[in-house]
Amino acid sequence: MHDAKSSALIDTYAQFPFEIVSGVGSRVRLRDGREMWDFYGGHAVCGIGHSHAAVADAIVRQARELAFYSNVVPLEIRTRAAERLVAFAGAGLRHVFFCNSGAEANENALKLAIQQTNREKIAVADGGWHGRTLLALSATTEEKLRKPFAKLLTESVRLKLNDLDDIRRIDDRVAAVIVEPIESIAGIVTLDPAFLAALRRRCDEIGALLVFDEIQTGVGRCGRAYIAGEHGTQPDIVTSAKSLANGFPVGAVLMNSRVGSRVAGGDLGSTFGGGPLACAAMLAVLDVIEREELIARAAQLGDRMRAALRIGPVCDVLGRGCLIGLRTTRPAKQIQAELFDLGFVTGTSADSHVLRLMPPMNLPFEAIDELGRALHWIGAGKEAAI
Ligand SMILES: Cc1ncc(COP(=O)(O)O)c(C=O)c1O
């Protein structure tokens, strides 16, 4: 195996014990020739499957026409991508600012809220994970990441999850409340619709902005374009990234007209944001999702995973669509390692007993059946044959 640890590459990631050389759809091929089902979806990024031909073709076509020009000139493809994305998102979102990553999208969303409300605090939900830049980190509750930068972080109100009474602690110094509608890294923890609706009401009362971080939940993964708008709860801002261009780096800050109309020239900026290659990839992704009806398919895959995977060491199935958590009776890391050996890539989470599945939305149903058989086998102490 290629040894990244002794190379020039900085050694900062805990890595899976195998090297991937190629991927097609939901399958990845390893250096040693083995193939695996990718229930990790390239880190929740390959929402329409690995190396999708439509995305590859769109990138190549655009690269031959105009690979890059920044926001100093208008580009038809950038305007088209913006219009297409807000139409796809719905939920009262009318404008978009493009950047390059999830953290950058959250950083800009929170900066906008601080600027537009002239306030300095943010409110977050316990377990929320929003990125590693300073404002995004201020909204992230993982202590290990926060500690070295504690002095630089913006003051945050940390809300008890799904606790309607605690919402009263959002006061008139709070610029924005930012939440993941389903907290992914925390271990697939779903925020109650009643909690989200109460956050909306409190933000209206107090004059704060409501931000949904849909970097993992969005782009169809949870059986809707975005969770924003579900049960009538519309946030002011939605942030999106990860699978938005299926692996080409893109971040997006989607906003309603109240927020969008108050953005003045020069308030936001990025050299690469909304570049033509990113826009071409994003448009191709949205085409594929609509043409192949992948939002409905994500919902069906979620139903199938919920029905089929409470088996062997799995005592509960959390989440929905293609964002699923498997609660395990033994440490999730052990089960993950055993699944690696059986040919399945899965992820862990901050909860030591939750495995995460974020597969492509066009995962074949048979892959779920195979994973079910593998879990059964693990549960039976590997006595029965798969
Ligand atoms: C919910 C959520 N928000 C923000 C981020 C940060 O995204 P990025 O790594 O693209 O900066 C992540 C990354 O995992 C995430 O899961």
Side-chain angles (χ1 to χ4, degrees):
M1 190 166 109
H2 155 76
D3 183 10
K5 293 213 180 293
S6 59
S7 76
L9 195 60
I10 200 82
D11 179 15
T12 183
Y13 296 103
Q15 296 190 319
F16 294 160
F18 47 81
E19 190 184 348
I20 292 175
V21 290
S22 62
V24 176
S26 298
R27 302 281 287 173
V28 287
R29 200 154 58 79
L30 311 190
R31 170 77 61 204
D32 64 11
R34 274 192 308 142
E35 284 197 10
M36 298 176 86
W37 284 115
D38 189 9
F39 278 83
Y40 194 61
H43 214 122
V45 165
C46 300
I48 62 168
H50 290 282
S51 317
H52 199 293
V55 180
D57 291 348
I59 291 173
V60 170
R61 225 179 299 121
Q62 188 60 45
R64 290 186 185 285
E65 200 168 296
L66 179 70
F68 188 72
Y69 218 99
S70 79
N71 293 283
V72 294
V73 294
L75 293 179
E76 185 275 337
I77 194 165
R78 184 184 298 130
T79 310
R80 190 151 45 91
E83 274 160 13
R84 186 74 186 277
L85 183 58
V86 295
F88 173 79
L93 300 161
R94 301 269 186 270
H95 305 278
V96 59
F97 170 73
F98 287 128
C99 50
N100 308 282
S101 70
E104 195 187 352
N106 285 336
E107 194 75 13
N108 279 297
L110 294 171
K111 275 180 72 181
L112 269 185
I114 288 168
Q115 185 185 17
Q116 294 196 353
T117 60
N118 199 21
R119 298 174 181 181
E120 67 276 20
K121 283 203 302 190
I122 49 182
V124 304
D126 254 343
W129 206 100
H130 302 286
R132 292 166 180 267
T133 57
L134 284 178
L135 270 177
L137 189 58
S138 303
T140 293
T141 57
E142 192 177 337
E143 226 28 74
K144 186 179 75 188
L145 296 184
R146 294 173 57 92
K147 206 167 163 211
F149 307 101
K151 287 197 190 124
L152 298 175
L153 301 182
T154 296
E155 193 182 342
S156 59
V157 179
R158 192 182 293 195
L159 302 168
K160 288 190 204 126
L161 213 65
N162 293 329
D163 183 328
L164 297 182
D165 293 333
D166 211 35
I167 283 175
R168 280 198 225 105
R169 291 200 301 119
I170 302 169
D171 61 24
D172 62 7
R173 286 177 57 211
V174 169
V177 180
I178 181 166
V179 291
E180 294 169 81
I182 301 174
E183 293 182 344
S184 179
I185 294 172
I188 312 296
V189 180
T190 299
L191 272 58
D192 291 342
F195 183 70
L196 295 176
L199 287 178
R200 175 70 277 172
R201 283 195 298 277
R202 185 63 178 164
C203 284
D204 289 341
E205 266 166 36
I206 220 81
L209 300 189
L210 180 61
V211 181
F212 279 10
D213 173 343
E214 299 227 37
I215 285 155
Q216 293 225 15
T217 55
V219 204
R221 180 174 296 284
C222 291
R224 292 174 54 86
Y226 290 90
I227 291 179
E230 194 170 42
H231 310 296
T233 301
Q234 299 196 344
D236 299 291
I237 297 179
V238 167
T239 53
S240 189
K242 293 264 194 225
S243 60
L244 189 49
N246 211 46
F248 200 97
V250 179
V253 185
L254 292 138
M255 53 198 104
N256 63 16
S257 38
R258 187 162 62 106
V259 176
S261 64
R262 286 153 70 193
V263 177
D267 283 354
L268 299 167
S270 160
T271 296
F272 289 119
L277 292 177
C279 290
M282 198 183 334
L283 283 164
V285 166
L286 297 178
D287 274 347
V288 170
I289 290 176
E290 283 171 8
R291 194 172 58 239
E292 298 179 11
E293 300 182 350
L294 293 184
I295 295 184
R297 192 181 163 80
Q300 289 163 5
L301 286 165
D303 291 346
R304 180 79 153 253
M305 286 191 271
R306 292 189 66 92
L309 299 181
R310 192 193 292 243
I311 189 165
V314 177
C315 56
D316 199 5
V317 183
L318 316 166
R320 66 195 241 198
C322 289
L323 188 62
I324 291 289
L326 304 181
R327 182 162 292 289
T328 52
T329 51
R330 286 193 279 127
K333 266 195 185 313
Q334 285 177 14
I335 314 288
Q336 182 194 40
E338 290 164 35
L339 285 171
F340 283 158
D341 289 344
L342 294 172
F344 299 88
V345 189
T346 64
T348 52
S349 71
D351 185 325
S352 63
H353 283 64
V354 173
L355 268 187
R356 280 189 304 154
L357 310 180
M358 304 95 90
M361 300 187 290
N362 47 15
L363 177 81
F365 287 102
E366 66 176 281
I368 299 174
D369 300 338
E370 283 189 29
L371 178 58
R373 284 196 287 277
L375 288 167
H376 175 70
W377 193 63
I378 286 172
K382 303 174 191 173
E383 281 155 17
I386 291 183

PDB file of all heavy atoms in Angstrom, residues 43-44 100-106 128-133 136 140 180 182-185 213-217 239 241-242 250 356, ligand 1:
ATOM      1  N   HIS A  43     -17.308  10.180   1.889  1.00  0.00           N
ATOM      2  CA  HIS A  43     -17.477  11.189   2.950  1.00  0.00           C
ATOM      3  C   HIS A  43     -18.731  12.046   2.705  1.00  0.00           C
ATOM      4  O   HIS A  43     -18.682  13.282   2.778  1.00  0.00           O
ATOM      5  CB  HIS A  43     -16.231  12.095   3.045  1.00  0.00           C
ATOM      6  CG  HIS A  43     -15.909  12.539   4.438  1.00  0.00           C
ATOM      7  ND1 HIS A  43     -14.700  12.290   5.033  1.00  0.00           N
ATOM      8  CD2 HIS A  43     -16.638  13.202   5.354  1.00  0.00           C
ATOM      9  CE1 HIS A  43     -14.700  12.799   6.255  1.00  0.00           C
ATOM     10  NE2 HIS A  43     -15.881  13.357   6.473  1.00  0.00           N
ATOM     11  N   ALA A  44     -19.820  11.385   2.348  1.00  0.00           N
ATOM     12  CA  ALA A  44     -21.108  12.072   2.113  1.00  0.00           C
ATOM     13  C   ALA A  44     -21.022  13.052   0.941  1.00  0.00           C
ATOM     14  O   ALA A  44     -21.780  14.018   0.873  1.00  0.00           O
ATOM     15  CB  ALA A  44     -21.600  12.797   3.364  1.00  0.00           C
ATOM     16  N   ASN A 100     -16.497  27.701  -1.520  1.00  0.00           N
ATOM     17  CA  ASN A 100     -15.774  26.478  -1.909  1.00  0.00           C
ATOM     18  C   ASN A 100     -15.856  25.306  -0.947  1.00  0.00           C
ATOM     19  O   ASN A 100     -15.316  24.250  -1.239  1.00  0.00           O
ATOM     20  CB  ASN A 100     -14.285  26.821  -2.088  1.00  0.00           C
ATOM     21  CG  ASN A 100     -14.106  28.000  -3.002  1.00  0.00           C
ATOM     22  OD1 ASN A 100     -14.210  27.859  -4.203  1.00  0.00           O
ATOM     23  ND2 ASN A 100     -13.879  29.164  -2.428  1.00  0.00           N
ATOM     24  N   SER A 101     -16.464  25.497   0.208  1.00  0.00           N
ATOM     25  CA  SER A 101     -16.487  24.395   1.180  1.00  0.00           C
ATOM     26  C   SER A 101     -17.614  24.647   2.178  1.00  0.00           C
ATOM     27  O   SER A 101     -18.209  25.741   2.213  1.00  0.00           O
ATOM     28  CB  SER A 101     -15.161  24.320   1.947  1.00  0.00           C
ATOM     29  OG  SER A 101     -15.052  25.433   2.817  1.00  0.00           O
ATOM     30  N   GLY A 102     -17.844  23.638   3.008  1.00  0.00           N
ATOM     31  CA  GLY A 102     -18.887  23.753   4.018  1.00  0.00           C
ATOM     32  C   GLY A 102     -18.548  24.782   5.079  1.00  0.00           C
ATOM     33  O   GLY A 102     -19.374  25.619   5.451  1.00  0.00           O
ATOM     34  N   ALA A 103     -17.311  24.731   5.584  1.00  0.00           N
ATOM     35  CA  ALA A 103     -16.919  25.682   6.630  1.00  0.00           C
ATOM     36  C   ALA A 103     -17.020  27.114   6.104  1.00  0.00           C
ATOM     37  O   ALA A 103     -17.496  28.019   6.811  1.00  0.00           O
ATOM     38  CB  ALA A 103     -15.493  25.383   7.091  1.00  0.00           C
ATOM     39  N   GLU A 104     -16.612  27.303   4.857  1.00  0.00           N
ATOM     40  CA  GLU A 104     -16.651  28.653   4.283  1.00  0.00           C
ATOM     41  C   GLU A 104     -18.105  29.130   4.136  1.00  0.00           C
ATOM     42  O   GLU A 104     -18.403  30.315   4.353  1.00  0.00           O
ATOM     43  CB  GLU A 104     -15.934  28.662   2.928  1.00  0.00           C
ATOM     44  CG  GLU A 104     -15.608  30.041   2.431  1.00  0.00           C
ATOM     45  CD  GLU A 104     -15.037  30.040   1.006  1.00  0.00           C
ATOM     46  OE1 GLU A 104     -14.754  28.956   0.457  1.00  0.00           O
ATOM     47  OE2 GLU A 104     -14.899  31.135   0.442  1.00  0.00           O
ATOM     48  N   ALA A 105     -18.996  28.208   3.799  1.00  0.00           N
ATOM     49  CA  ALA A 105     -20.408  28.577   3.692  1.00  0.00           C
ATOM     50  C   ALA A 105     -20.942  28.992   5.061  1.00  0.00           C
ATOM     51  O   ALA A 105     -21.616  30.032   5.203  1.00  0.00           O
ATOM     52  CB  ALA A 105     -21.212  27.405   3.127  1.00  0.00           C
ATOM     53  N   ASN A 106     -20.630  28.219   6.104  1.00  0.00           N
ATOM     54  CA  ASN A 106     -21.108  28.581   7.450  1.00  0.00           C
ATOM     55  C   ASN A 106     -20.467  29.864   7.945  1.00  0.00           C
ATOM     56  O   ASN A 106     -21.112  30.693   8.585  1.00  0.00           O
ATOM     57  CB  ASN A 106     -20.834  27.431   8.431  1.00  0.00           C
ATOM     58  CG  ASN A 106     -21.807  26.290   8.218  1.00  0.00           C
ATOM     59  OD1 ASN A 106     -22.907  26.490   7.692  1.00  0.00           O
ATOM     60  ND2 ASN A 106     -21.422  25.087   8.610  1.00  0.00           N
ATOM     61  N   GLY A 128     -23.898  19.944  17.636  1.00  0.00           N
ATOM     62  CA  GLY A 128     -23.780  20.526  16.292  1.00  0.00           C
ATOM     63  C   GLY A 128     -22.318  20.579  15.839  1.00  0.00           C
ATOM     64  O   GLY A 128     -21.426  20.856  16.636  1.00  0.00           O
ATOM     65  N   TRP A 129     -22.104  20.313  14.568  1.00  0.00           N
ATOM     66  CA  TRP A 129     -20.739  20.330  13.994  1.00  0.00           C
ATOM     67  C   TRP A 129     -20.784  21.154  12.717  1.00  0.00           C
ATOM     68  O   TRP A 129     -21.471  20.796  11.767  1.00  0.00           O
ATOM     69  CB  TRP A 129     -20.285  18.898  13.685  1.00  0.00           C
ATOM     70  CG  TRP A 129     -18.788  18.737  13.695  1.00  0.00           C
ATOM     71  CD1 TRP A 129     -18.025  18.226  14.699  1.00  0.00           C
ATOM     72  CD2 TRP A 129     -17.868  19.101  12.647  1.00  0.00           C
ATOM     73  NE1 TRP A 129     -16.695  18.252  14.348  1.00  0.00           N
ATOM     74  CE2 TRP A 129     -16.569  18.791  13.088  1.00  0.00           C
ATOM     75  CE3 TRP A 129     -18.002  19.680  11.375  1.00  0.00           C
ATOM     76  CZ2 TRP A 129     -15.420  19.015  12.331  1.00  0.00           C
ATOM     77  CZ3 TRP A 129     -16.851  19.914  10.624  1.00  0.00           C
ATOM     78  CH2 TRP A 129     -15.584  19.572  11.098  1.00  0.00           C
ATOM     79  N   HIS A 130     -20.064  22.289  12.695  1.00  0.00           N
ATOM     80  CA  HIS A 130     -20.247  23.224  11.585  1.00  0.00           C
ATOM     81  C   HIS A 130     -18.961  23.624  10.867  1.00  0.00           C
ATOM     82  O   HIS A 130     -19.013  24.469   9.971  1.00  0.00           O
ATOM     83  CB  HIS A 130     -20.994  24.463  12.093  1.00  0.00           C
ATOM     84  CG  HIS A 130     -22.331  24.127  12.704  1.00  0.00           C
ATOM     85  ND1 HIS A 130     -23.418  23.764  11.946  1.00  0.00           N
ATOM     86  CD2 HIS A 130     -22.739  24.051  13.990  1.00  0.00           C
ATOM     87  CE1 HIS A 130     -24.454  23.491  12.737  1.00  0.00           C
ATOM     88  NE2 HIS A 130     -24.059  23.652  13.987  1.00  0.00           N
ATOM     89  N   GLY A 131     -17.821  23.064  11.266  1.00  0.00           N
ATOM     90  CA  GLY A 131     -16.598  23.345  10.514  1.00  0.00           C
ATOM     91  C   GLY A 131     -15.483  23.887  11.386  1.00  0.00           C
ATOM     92  O   GLY A 131     -15.654  24.114  12.585  1.00  0.00           O
ATOM     93  N   ARG A 132     -14.327  24.108  10.755  1.00  0.00           N
ATOM     94  CA  ARG A 132     -13.112  24.403  11.516  1.00  0.00           C
ATOM     95  C   ARG A 132     -12.610  25.842  11.391  1.00  0.00           C
ATOM     96  O   ARG A 132     -11.601  26.191  11.995  1.00  0.00           O
ATOM     97  CB  ARG A 132     -12.006  23.454  11.055  1.00  0.00           C
ATOM     98  CG  ARG A 132     -12.254  22.018  11.446  1.00  0.00           C
ATOM     99  CD  ARG A 132     -11.334  21.097  10.689  1.00  0.00           C
ATOM    100  NE  ARG A 132     -11.536  19.704  11.018  1.00  0.00           N
ATOM    101  CZ  ARG A 132     -10.857  19.046  11.958  1.00  0.00           C
ATOM    102  NH1 ARG A 132      -9.941  19.669  12.657  1.00  0.00           N
ATOM    103  NH2 ARG A 132     -11.094  17.782  12.183  1.00  0.00           N
ATOM    104  N   THR A 133     -13.240  26.681  10.567  1.00  0.00           N
ATOM    105  CA  THR A 133     -12.847  28.095  10.561  1.00  0.00           C
ATOM    106  C   THR A 133     -13.417  28.739  11.831  1.00  0.00           C
ATOM    107  O   THR A 133     -14.258  28.140  12.502  1.00  0.00           O
ATOM    108  CB  THR A 133     -13.386  28.796   9.304  1.00  0.00           C
ATOM    109  OG1 THR A 133     -14.798  28.626   9.270  1.00  0.00           O
ATOM    110  CG2 THR A 133     -12.770  28.234   8.038  1.00  0.00           C
ATOM    111  N   ALA A 136     -17.295  29.190  12.321  1.00  0.00           N
ATOM    112  CA  ALA A 136     -17.894  27.844  12.224  1.00  0.00           C
ATOM    113  C   ALA A 136     -17.494  27.020  13.449  1.00  0.00           C
ATOM    114  O   ALA A 136     -18.317  26.279  14.000  1.00  0.00           O
ATOM    115  CB  ALA A 136     -17.455  27.166  10.930  1.00  0.00           C
ATOM    116  N   THR A 140     -19.430  25.047  16.725  1.00  0.00           N
ATOM    117  CA  THR A 140     -19.220  23.588  16.831  1.00  0.00           C
ATOM    118  C   THR A 140     -19.002  23.241  18.289  1.00  0.00           C
ATOM    119  O   THR A 140     -18.281  23.947  18.994  1.00  0.00           O
ATOM    120  CB  THR A 140     -18.004  23.200  15.956  1.00  0.00           C
ATOM    121  OG1 THR A 140     -18.383  23.415  14.590  1.00  0.00           O
ATOM    122  CG2 THR A 140     -17.585  21.765  16.139  1.00  0.00           C
ATOM    123  N   GLU A 180     -27.913  21.813  12.539  1.00  0.00           N
ATOM    124  CA  GLU A 180     -28.063  20.770  11.511  1.00  0.00           C
ATOM    125  C   GLU A 180     -29.420  20.116  11.796  1.00  0.00           C
ATOM    126  O   GLU A 180     -29.608  19.584  12.902  1.00  0.00           O
ATOM    127  CB  GLU A 180     -27.018  19.677  11.683  1.00  0.00           C
ATOM    128  CG  GLU A 180     -25.587  20.044  11.473  1.00  0.00           C
ATOM    129  CD  GLU A 180     -24.687  18.889  11.955  1.00  0.00           C
ATOM    130  OE1 GLU A 180     -24.505  17.917  11.204  1.00  0.00           O
ATOM    131  OE2 GLU A 180     -24.188  18.955  13.086  1.00  0.00           O
ATOM    132  N   ILE A 182     -30.497  17.300  10.992  1.00  0.00           N
ATOM    133  CA  ILE A 182     -30.091  15.991  11.530  1.00  0.00           C
ATOM    134  C   ILE A 182     -28.589  16.100  11.796  1.00  0.00           C
ATOM    135  O   ILE A 182     -27.815  16.328  10.862  1.00  0.00           O
ATOM    136  CB  ILE A 182     -30.365  14.831  10.547  1.00  0.00           C
ATOM    137  CG1 ILE A 182     -31.862  14.760  10.213  1.00  0.00           C
ATOM    138  CG2 ILE A 182     -29.888  13.503  11.134  1.00  0.00           C
ATOM    139  CD1 ILE A 182     -32.223  13.735   9.140  1.00  0.00           C
ATOM    140  N   GLU A 183     -28.204  15.997  13.068  1.00  0.00           N
ATOM    141  CA  GLU A 183     -26.781  16.129  13.398  1.00  0.00           C
ATOM    142  C   GLU A 183     -26.070  14.856  12.984  1.00  0.00           C
ATOM    143  O   GLU A 183     -26.325  13.781  13.538  1.00  0.00           O
ATOM    144  CB  GLU A 183     -26.617  16.371  14.897  1.00  0.00           C
ATOM    145  CG  GLU A 183     -27.169  17.724  15.324  1.00  0.00           C
ATOM    146  CD  GLU A 183     -26.957  17.988  16.800  1.00  0.00           C
ATOM    147  OE1 GLU A 183     -26.667  17.042  17.560  1.00  0.00           O
ATOM    148  OE2 GLU A 183     -27.088  19.169  17.187  1.00  0.00           O
ATOM    149  N   SER A 184     -25.181  14.992  12.014  1.00  0.00           N
ATOM    150  CA  SER A 184     -24.565  13.799  11.442  1.00  0.00           C
ATOM    151  C   SER A 184     -23.388  13.303  12.272  1.00  0.00           C
ATOM    152  O   SER A 184     -23.401  12.180  12.782  1.00  0.00           O
ATOM    153  CB  SER A 184     -24.130  14.086  10.004  1.00  0.00           C
ATOM    154  OG  SER A 184     -23.527  12.954   9.449  1.00  0.00           O
ATOM    155  N   ILE A 185     -22.381  14.173  12.444  1.00  0.00           N
ATOM    156  CA  ILE A 185     -21.163  13.725  13.120  1.00  0.00           C
ATOM    157  C   ILE A 185     -21.478  13.337  14.576  1.00  0.00           C
ATOM    158  O   ILE A 185     -20.868  12.429  15.139  1.00  0.00           O
ATOM    159  CB  ILE A 185     -20.069  14.808  13.008  1.00  0.00           C
ATOM    160  CG1 ILE A 185     -19.667  14.943  11.529  1.00  0.00           C
ATOM    161  CG2 ILE A 185     -18.852  14.484  13.873  1.00  0.00           C
ATOM    162  CD1 ILE A 185     -18.745  16.092  11.195  1.00  0.00           C
ATOM    163  N   ASP A 213     -27.738  24.357   8.706  1.00  0.00           N
ATOM    164  CA  ASP A 213     -26.554  23.794   8.072  1.00  0.00           C
ATOM    165  C   ASP A 213     -26.990  22.469   7.440  1.00  0.00           C
ATOM    166  O   ASP A 213     -27.201  21.473   8.145  1.00  0.00           O
ATOM    167  CB  ASP A 213     -25.461  23.586   9.139  1.00  0.00           C
ATOM    168  CG  ASP A 213     -24.236  22.841   8.610  1.00  0.00           C
ATOM    169  OD1 ASP A 213     -24.337  22.204   7.538  1.00  0.00           O
ATOM    170  OD2 ASP A 213     -23.194  22.876   9.284  1.00  0.00           O
ATOM    171  N   GLU A 214     -27.139  22.493   6.114  1.00  0.00           N
ATOM    172  CA  GLU A 214     -27.608  21.286   5.404  1.00  0.00           C
ATOM    173  C   GLU A 214     -26.481  20.697   4.549  1.00  0.00           C
ATOM    174  O   GLU A 214     -26.701  20.144   3.465  1.00  0.00           O
ATOM    175  CB  GLU A 214     -28.848  21.607   4.563  1.00  0.00           C
ATOM    176  CG  GLU A 214     -30.019  22.100   5.414  1.00  0.00           C
ATOM    177  CD  GLU A 214     -31.321  21.408   5.061  1.00  0.00           C
ATOM    178  OE1 GLU A 214     -31.301  20.194   4.750  1.00  0.00           O
ATOM    179  OE2 GLU A 214     -32.348  22.091   5.085  1.00  0.00           O
ATOM    180  N   ILE A 215     -25.268  20.873   5.079  1.00  0.00           N
ATOM    181  CA  ILE A 215     -24.093  20.398   4.352  1.00  0.00           C
ATOM    182  C   ILE A 215     -24.119  18.874   4.221  1.00  0.00           C
ATOM    183  O   ILE A 215     -23.677  18.324   3.214  1.00  0.00           O
ATOM    184  CB  ILE A 215     -22.832  20.969   5.046  1.00  0.00           C
ATOM    185  CG1 ILE A 215     -22.739  22.459   4.674  1.00  0.00           C
ATOM    186  CG2 ILE A 215     -21.566  20.202   4.697  1.00  0.00           C
ATOM    187  CD1 ILE A 215     -21.999  23.334   5.612  1.00  0.00           C
ATOM    188  N   GLN A 216     -24.689  18.192   5.216  1.00  0.00           N
ATOM    189  CA  GLN A 216     -24.841  16.729   5.082  1.00  0.00           C
ATOM    190  C   GLN A 216     -26.266  16.346   4.699  1.00  0.00           C
ATOM    191  O   GLN A 216     -26.478  15.391   3.966  1.00  0.00           O
ATOM    192  CB  GLN A 216     -24.455  16.042   6.392  1.00  0.00           C
ATOM    193  CG  GLN A 216     -22.985  16.182   6.700  1.00  0.00           C
ATOM    194  CD  GLN A 216     -22.322  14.900   7.171  1.00  0.00           C
ATOM    195  OE1 GLN A 216     -22.831  13.802   7.039  1.00  0.00           O
ATOM    196  NE2 GLN A 216     -21.136  15.049   7.719  1.00  0.00           N
ATOM    197  N   THR A 217     -27.258  17.079   5.193  1.00  0.00           N
ATOM    198  CA  THR A 217     -28.650  16.642   4.985  1.00  0.00           C
ATOM    199  C   THR A 217     -29.192  17.024   3.607  1.00  0.00           C
ATOM    200  O   THR A 217     -30.232  16.501   3.200  1.00  0.00           O
ATOM    201  CB  THR A 217     -29.573  17.269   6.050  1.00  0.00           C
ATOM    202  OG1 THR A 217     -29.425  18.697   6.019  1.00  0.00           O
ATOM    203  CG2 THR A 217     -29.253  16.768   7.446  1.00  0.00           C
ATOM    204  N   THR A 239     -27.068  26.491   4.401  1.00  0.00           N
ATOM    205  CA  THR A 239     -25.730  26.296   3.834  1.00  0.00           C
ATOM    206  C   THR A 239     -25.639  24.892   3.242  1.00  0.00           C
ATOM    207  O   THR A 239     -26.203  23.934   3.782  1.00  0.00           O
ATOM    208  CB  THR A 239     -24.629  26.504   4.888  1.00  0.00           C
ATOM    209  OG1 THR A 239     -24.902  25.679   6.028  1.00  0.00           O
ATOM    210  CG2 THR A 239     -24.550  27.948   5.303  1.00  0.00           C
ATOM    211  N   ALA A 241     -22.984  22.104   0.786  1.00  0.00           N
ATOM    212  CA  ALA A 241     -21.642  21.805   0.230  1.00  0.00           C
ATOM    213  C   ALA A 241     -21.616  20.300  -0.069  1.00  0.00           C
ATOM    214  O   ALA A 241     -22.548  19.816  -0.705  1.00  0.00           O
ATOM    215  CB  ALA A 241     -20.534  22.230   1.199  1.00  0.00           C
ATOM    216  N   LYS A 242     -20.577  19.597   0.408  1.00  0.00           N
ATOM    217  CA  LYS A 242     -20.447  18.138   0.242  1.00  0.00           C
ATOM    218  C   LYS A 242     -20.885  17.642  -1.140  1.00  0.00           C
ATOM    219  O   LYS A 242     -20.143  17.763  -2.081  1.00  0.00           O
ATOM    220  CB  LYS A 242     -21.241  17.419   1.331  1.00  0.00           C
ATOM    221  CG  LYS A 242     -20.671  17.631   2.743  1.00  0.00           C
ATOM    222  CD  LYS A 242     -19.780  16.522   3.174  1.00  0.00           C
ATOM    223  CE  LYS A 242     -19.496  16.564   4.669  1.00  0.00           C
ATOM    224  NZ  LYS A 242     -18.089  16.358   4.951  1.00  0.00           N
ATOM    225  N   VAL A 250     -17.497  22.812  -3.844  1.00  0.00           N
ATOM    226  CA  VAL A 250     -18.471  23.909  -3.942  1.00  0.00           C
ATOM    227  C   VAL A 250     -19.088  24.110  -2.565  1.00  0.00           C
ATOM    228  O   VAL A 250     -19.432  23.144  -1.895  1.00  0.00           O
ATOM    229  CB  VAL A 250     -19.640  23.571  -4.902  1.00  0.00           C
ATOM    230  CG1 VAL A 250     -20.642  24.721  -4.943  1.00  0.00           C
ATOM    231  CG2 VAL A 250     -19.165  23.276  -6.297  1.00  0.00           C
ATOM    232  N   ARG A 356     -22.090   5.286  10.787  1.00  0.00           N
ATOM    233  CA  ARG A 356     -22.831   6.146   9.845  1.00  0.00           C
ATOM    234  C   ARG A 356     -22.789   5.607   8.425  1.00  0.00           C
ATOM    235  O   ARG A 356     -21.736   5.168   7.950  1.00  0.00           O
ATOM    236  CB  ARG A 356     -22.245   7.557   9.852  1.00  0.00           C
ATOM    237  CG  ARG A 356     -22.718   8.377  11.029  1.00  0.00           C
ATOM    238  CD  ARG A 356     -22.301   9.816  10.901  1.00  0.00           C
ATOM    239  NE  ARG A 356     -20.872   9.968  10.744  1.00  0.00           N
ATOM    240  CZ  ARG A 356     -20.295  10.986  10.139  1.00  0.00           C
ATOM    241  NH1 ARG A 356     -21.021  11.944   9.607  1.00  0.00           N
ATOM    242  NH2 ARG A 356     -18.986  11.070  10.062  1.00  0.00           N
TER     243      ARG A 356
HETATM  244  C1  LIG B   1     -22.717  19.485   9.032  1.00  0.00           C
HETATM  245  C2  LIG B   1     -21.387  19.966   8.549  1.00  0.00           C
HETATM  246  N1  LIG B   1     -21.149  21.280   8.474  1.00  0.00           N
HETATM  247  C3  LIG B   1     -19.978  21.754   8.019  1.00  0.00           C
HETATM  248  C4  LIG B   1     -18.959  20.912   7.640  1.00  0.00           C
HETATM  249  C5  LIG B   1     -17.662  21.472   7.126  1.00  0.00           C
HETATM  250  O1  LIG B   1     -17.539  21.220   5.764  1.00  0.00           O
HETATM  251  P1  LIG B   1     -16.114  21.293   5.024  1.00  0.00           P
HETATM  252  O2  LIG B   1     -15.309  20.133   5.506  1.00  0.00           O
HETATM  253  O3  LIG B   1     -16.448  21.229   3.562  1.00  0.00           O
HETATM  254  O4  LIG B   1     -15.494  22.594   5.404  1.00  0.00           O
HETATM  255  C6  LIG B   1     -19.154  19.538   7.722  1.00  0.00           C
HETATM  256  C7  LIG B   1     -18.076  18.601   7.343  1.00  0.00           C
HETATM  257  O5  LIG B   1     -18.090  17.434   7.619  1.00  0.00           O
HETATM  258  C8  LIG B   1     -20.399  19.044   8.192  1.00  0.00           C
HETATM  259  O6  LIG B   1     -20.632  17.734   8.280  1.00  0.00           O
END
